[in-house]
Amino acid sequence: MTEAGPLQAWIAGTLSAALAPTHLDVIDESHLHAGHAGWRESGETHFRLDVVSPAFEGKSRVERHRLVNGLLDDAFKRGLHALAVRARTPSEAA
């Protein structure tokens, strides 16, 4: 496993602090998008998230994605181009 880059670490820290997840994977998939829009050779442009948090209880899928995207607004300003989100409650992840 490779060491997390600065943006990947920031994303993980931001989501951990705000959502207190019971599970969090922040996967840099930038290498899969080489040559596509938004891709940079330095990476950290395309991420996949799998986050399980009680903070998602009672929220629709759209509300969960809006919450995550809002928390990561600065990441988009720092070069994040694409984000795939899987946001579940603990009961959904069981």
Side-chain angles (χ1 to χ4, degrees):
M1 180 176 211
T2 61
E3 186 176 321
L7 185 57
Q8 185 175 12
W10 182 88
I11 290 169
T14 298
L15 294 177
S16 292
L19 301 176
T22 57
H23 173 82
L24 176 61
D25 282 331
V26 180
I27 303 158
D28 185 350
E29 295 185 335
S30 301
H31 65 285
L32 300 174
H33 301 273
H36 297 170
W39 176 81
R40 289 186 317 271
E41 192 168 328
S42 59
E44 294 204 300
T45 57
H46 296 72
F47 286 92
R48 178 170 302 280
L49 302 179
D50 184 9
V51 58
V52 177
S53 172
F56 298 137
E57 293 286 350
K59 290 182 173 47
S60 71
R61 182 176 175 203
V62 170
E63 290 170 324
R64 295 172 190 192
H65 284 232
R66 284 182 180 153
L67 174 58
V68 170
N69 285 330
L71 291 168
L72 299 182
D73 185 55
D74 281 345
F76 286 98
K77 294 173 185 170
R78 295 170 62 182
L80 177 62
H81 176 74
L83 184 65
V85 178
R86 183 178 186 198
R88 301 173 288 159
T89 66
S91 63
E92 292 168 337

